[in-house]
């Protein structure tokens, strides 16, 4: 089988794990220094000659411990382990207690502020969703980061550098992106997804700030993109995300000017966009159209 087709098959199979809150130990290689555990969410593991970086924790400490085990298997020996999180939501940041004691936790200052304001409340909300999630989150303890940064932190892992970036609000205020050089691999969190309608959580970013973030992401010129809740792809995902949000935003603002209500606009645009973007699996744009109306 052609390797691209094989990868596609692997990713399709792993999509079944996309909503399963217990992560497995299988990894997929994304680029020279980057591996991923595909699940809810996808976890990136960046391996250098001296240190390893994990991006996101999984839901609760048990998942965190699984990821730490996988990272140690990929890169055995006594080495530094860094951990960072794409945003403060519990399946991304609620598992840090499962990592070994010496793990160096890094995140942007705005994300940390959101964590302090809303982290516990989000854990309670997620724990209320099912007995399984409640159990997974039972021992969640939110650690204070060892390092916080404003717009960028560079981690030299040995032969590979991870740039931890805050470009502005999108899905949340504190969305962090990780750009791995020289691979040109972008770990994109919720900011760039693969054919998934975007969602702004609470008072996160705005559609306009999301577009501004995407301009900065495009300037990185990534070759590989690993999102948190959809399949990996190439750099064209950034342009597609930008086109979709720009298109939805200008169409919704048109309808707003004509006096159409947000919910009627969402209904009409869902139908239009199903035709415009036929290979997107779901087209529920209600939340995002409301965000556009509220801008
Ligand atoms: Zn989220
Ligand atoms: Zn998520």
């Amino acid at each position: 089988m052609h390797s691209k087709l094989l990868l596609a098959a692997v990713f399709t199979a792993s999509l079944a794990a996309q909503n399963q809150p217990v992560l497995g130990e299988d990894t997929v290689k994304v680029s020279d220094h980057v591996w991923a555990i595909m699940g809810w969410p996808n976890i990136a593991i960046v391996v250098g000659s001296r240190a390893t970086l994990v991006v996101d924790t999984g839901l609760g400490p048990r998942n965190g411990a699984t990821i730490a085990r996988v990272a140690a298997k990929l890169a055995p020996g006594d080495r530094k382990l860094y951990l960072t999180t794409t945003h403060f939501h519990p399946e991304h940041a609620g598992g840090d207690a499962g990592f070994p004691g010496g793990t160096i936790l890094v995140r942007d200052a705005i994300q940390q502020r959101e964590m302090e304001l809303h982290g516990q409340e989000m854990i309670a909300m997620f724990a209320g969703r099912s007995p399984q999630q409640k159990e997974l989150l039972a021992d969640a303890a939110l650690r204070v980061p060892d390092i916080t940064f404003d717009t960028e932190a560079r981690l030299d892992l040995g032969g590979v550098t991870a740039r931890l970036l805050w470009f502005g609000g999108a899905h949340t205020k504190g969305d962090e992106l990780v750009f791995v050089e020289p691979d040109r691999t972008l770990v994109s969190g919720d900011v760039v997804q693969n054919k998934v309608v975007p969602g702004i959580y609470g008072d996160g970013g705005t559609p306009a700030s999301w577009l501004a973030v995407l301009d900065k992401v495009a300037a990185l010129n990534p070759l590989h993109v690993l999102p948190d809740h959809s399949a990996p792809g190439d750099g064209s995902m950034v342009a597609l995300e930008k086109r979709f949000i720009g298109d939805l935003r200008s169409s919704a603002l048109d309808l707003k000017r004509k006096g159409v209500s947000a919910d009627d606009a969402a209904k009409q645009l869902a139908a239009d966009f199903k035709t415009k973007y036929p290979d997107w699996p779901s087209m529920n744009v209600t939340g995002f159209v409301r965000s556009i109306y509220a801008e």
Side-chain angles (χ1 to χ4, degrees):
M1 201 190 267
H2 188 278
S3 70
K4 264 214 161 135
L5 288 180
L6 180 64
L7 270 184
V10 168
F11 293 144
T12 307
S14 67
L15 285 180
Q18 208 83 69
N19 293 312
Q20 176 22 278
V22 177
L23 295 169
E25 298 200 13
D26 292 341
T27 52
V28 174
K29 191 168 182 178
V30 177
S31 62
D32 282 351
H33 302 90
V34 183
W35 280 260
I37 299 173
M38 304 303 293
W40 186 72
N42 301 330
I43 306 294
I45 303 172
V46 187
V47 178
S49 61
R50 288 193 303 275
T52 302
L53 166 69
V54 169
V55 186
D56 281 351
T57 67
L59 187 83
R62 179 177 150 197
N63 283 307
T66 301
I67 299 163
R69 220 162 36 240
V70 172
K73 243 194 293 180
L74 284 172
D78 191 18
R79 50 174 30 237
K80 257 188 192 168
L81 181 61
Y82 291 100
L83 172 65
T84 195
T85 53
T86 58
H87 59 292
F88 77 102
H89 291 164
E91 80 274 36
H92 303 273
D96 51 1
F99 284 78
T103 305
I104 302 162
L105 178 63
V106 190
R107 66 166 62 98
D108 67 76
I110 293 186
Q111 184 185 140
Q112 179 56 25
R113 176 96 183 115
E114 282 181 303
M115 180 63 99
E116 285 160 14
L117 288 172
H118 303 297
Q120 285 299 349
E121 136 205 344
M122 289 293 287
I123 284 176
M125 188 214 282
F126 274 56
R129 286 181 175 177
S130 75
Q132 186 191 29
Q133 294 204 11
K134 187 173 182 175
E135 193 198 313
L136 287 167
L137 286 166
D139 300 317
L142 299 172
R143 282 184 42 197
V144 176
D146 301 281
I147 302 169
T148 54
F149 66 92
D150 290 333
T151 56
E152 176 163 357
R154 273 175 190 259
L155 303 179
D156 177 0
L157 307 175
V160 57
T161 300
R163 296 175 61 191
L164 281 43
L165 301 159
W166 179 81
F167 281 161
H171 171 62
T172 64
K173 285 190 202 308
D175 287 326
E176 184 183 313
L177 299 137
V178 177
F179 190 60
V180 179
E181 294 174 329
D183 300 28
R184 287 168 61 197
T185 296
L186 176 75
V187 184
S188 61
D190 271 72
V191 176
V192 181
Q193 293 274 6
N194 205 336
K195 298 173 184 168
V196 175
V197 175
I200 293 171
Y201 179 80
D203 64 347
T206 65
S209 72
W210 198 317
L211 286 170
V213 167
L214 289 173
D215 281 336
K216 295 180 192 170
V217 173
L220 296 170
N221 195 17
L223 205 54
H224 315 278
V225 180
L226 176 69
D228 55 0
H229 292 301
S230 51
D234 63 23
S236 69
M237 280 171 59
V238 179
L240 180 59
E241 185 77 55
K242 228 186 113 182
R243 179 154 68 88
F244 183 86
I245 294 178
D247 197 0
L248 188 60
R249 182 166 177 269
S250 56
S251 305
L253 289 176
D254 258 0
L255 292 170
K256 188 183 179 188
R257 271 190 294 270
K258 288 178 186 150
V260 178
S261 76
D263 287 0
D264 285 346
K267 268 183 221 146
Q268 187 180 323
L269 291 170
D272 290 355
F273 276 62
K274 254 181 213 160
T275 318
K276 276 189 178 172
Y277 299 85
D279 55 344
W280 288 43
S282 152
M283 198 51 81
N284 184 351
V285 297
T286 305
F288 207 76
V289 167
R290 284 184 188 150
S291 299
I292 295 165
Y293 266 63
E295 241 177 50

